[in-house]
Amino acid sequence: SQTDDERALSDSSTEASAVPSHPLWPDIERITLEQLTFAQQGVGEGWEIFEQDGEMKLYKREKEVNGLVQDTLKAVHVVKGVTGFEMANCFFQPEYRFGWETTLEEMKIIEKVSDDAILFHQIHKRVWPASQRDAVFWSHIRQIPDSENPDGEPIWVVCNKSLAKDHPAAPDKKGKYTRAFLTAVIVCQTIITKHPNDEDELSRAEVTCKISYCSHVDPGGWVPAAATRAVYKREYPKFLRKFTSYVIDECQDKPVRT
Ligand code: 14H
């Protein structure tokens, strides 16, 4: 039950993939790896926990620039019954997005940079006490060997990053929407609890996914600091709950894909 996009992705990730000659590629490459490193760092000094529900923990690091909130969020979660590939793939592939992204009004693919990189324009619902937001961003999925355990399960990462400049296919409709700037990264790794001598197929009871999600939002335009923080305090946990339960439901009756 693989879609063409998923097949292209799994084929490309088994080959040494060619480096796309797209002008965005150097940025996509560099920022994705930077964000991966950032997501893998622990939450030490400077981080404050603001929500915990079982294995789901959300931390923030506050920062203000000229009175505007530029906080960074870091969330960690452990989800039973799904794999790192399944989580990352559902986060990346556009066909799943409306199933879990509750703040979305419109999603448009501006350009397919490669099988594993897409440029999007999204219009978000007005969830905040301010004008409606839109965003233009690239999204990139890739598999990376775990440097601490090269023979173990690989790490799947999806990085989303707003374009710093306007894009001709999605001009900034100032007055209608306020353009928001986001960087988000999700890092997923499967933990397999199956006995190595057991030759049966891998079952859902034997997989767990470790997730780390980081996000940095610049709401664009002026929003009072307290309002921004009130919105994300509510929206980030909502997103994580909705996204994880969506992936569990989506994969439930399908074979395990690692
Ligand atoms: O990561 C999330 N969503 C993806 C897929 O839709 C897109 C996101 C993105 C959007 C725009 C540009 C780049 C990247 O990665 C889930 C996002 C959850 C959002 C929680 C709400 C944050 C609210 C911030 C407060 C703003 C106040 C005006």
Side-chain angles (χ1 to χ4, degrees):
S1 61
Q2 267 187 13
T3 65
D4 289 343
D5 288 338
E6 290 170 342
R7 208 167 300 115
L9 178 65
S10 52
D11 290 347
S12 75
S13 57
T14 55
E15 292 164 16
S17 50
V19 177
S21 62
H22 193 279
L24 277 174
W25 195 256
D27 269 6
I28 294 178
E29 175 86 13
R30 177 179 53 82
I31 293 165
T32 300
L33 295 178
E34 271 170 23
Q35 288 297 315
L36 168 66
T37 305
F38 180 63
Q40 286 178 317
Q41 284 164 7
V43 274
E45 214 180 313
W47 291 98
E48 190 189 325
I49 192 159
F50 70 90
E51 171 102 10
Q52 172 161 22
D53 180 2
E55 295 280 5
M56 184 180 90
K57 297 186 188 98
L58 287 95
Y59 305 81
K60 62 173 176 176
R61 200 166 69 184
E62 293 192 351
K63 186 182 164 191
E64 277 172 44
V65 179
N66 301 327
L68 279 171
V69 169
Q70 302 243 334
D71 296 3
T72 303
L73 163 117
K74 183 174 273 203
V76 291
H77 203 353
V78 180
V79 184
K80 288 194 182 122
V82 293
T83 68
F85 169 76
E86 289 164 338
M87 275 276 168
N89 189 55
C90 283
F91 190 76
F92 174 74
Q93 300 292 356
E95 68 258 38
Y96 301 114
R97 193 150 310 156
F98 278 96
W100 59 265
E101 177 61 279
T102 55
T103 70
L104 211 52
E105 194 165 286
E106 274 179 55
M107 178 195 74
K108 198 174 82 193
I109 295 176
I110 298 180
E111 192 183 340
K112 278 199 128 190
V113 173
S114 58
D115 286 336
D116 56 11
I118 303 174
L119 192 57
F120 290 99
H121 179 224
Q122 288 191 171
I123 300 170
H124 287 265
K125 286 183 193 156
R126 195 181 150 185
V127 289
W128 28 59
S131 62
Q132 210 174 356
R133 259 68 185 163
D134 78 341
V136 177
F137 64 99
W138 52 257
S139 182
H140 173 47
I141 184 168
R142 72 158 61 182
Q143 193 192 40
I144 295 183
D146 181 357
S147 55
E148 282 169 19
N149 183 14
D151 298 326
E153 289 303 304
I155 290 161
W156 281 93
V157 51
V158 182
C159 183
N160 293 350
K161 168 90 183 173
S162 287
L163 292 191
K165 284 186 287 189
D166 223 9
H167 191 284
D172 190 349
K173 286 197 184 142
K174 290 191 181 71
K176 186 143 200 247
Y177 308 115
T178 301
R179 188 138 296 178
F181 296 88
L182 265 99
T183 306
V185 65
I186 192 161
V187 176
C188 311
Q189 189 171 27
T190 313
I191 304 166
I192 298 181
T193 52
K194 183 183 181 69
H195 195 274
N197 294 339
D198 181 355
E199 282 173 11
D200 289 345
E201 239 174 76
L202 194 57
S203 78
R204 295 230 164 255
E206 295 161 327
V207 294
T208 296
C209 182
K210 246 178 22 179
I211 306 176
S212 170
Y213 175 88
C214 292
S215 165
H216 176 265
V217 179
D218 171 353
W222 192 79
V223 190
T228 304
R229 293 196 170 114
V231 169
Y232 81 62
K233 245 186 121 158
R234 179 187 73 218
E235 294 299 323
Y236 281 126
K238 200 167 133 193
F239 147 64
L240 277 169
R241 287 195 186 96
K242 176 86 199 206
F243 175 65
T244 51
S245 63
Y246 174 81
V247 179
I248 292 170
D249 284 355
E250 180 60 35
C251 296
Q252 212 159 38
D253 302 319
K254 298 184 181 150
V256 180
R257 294 173 64 192
T258 55

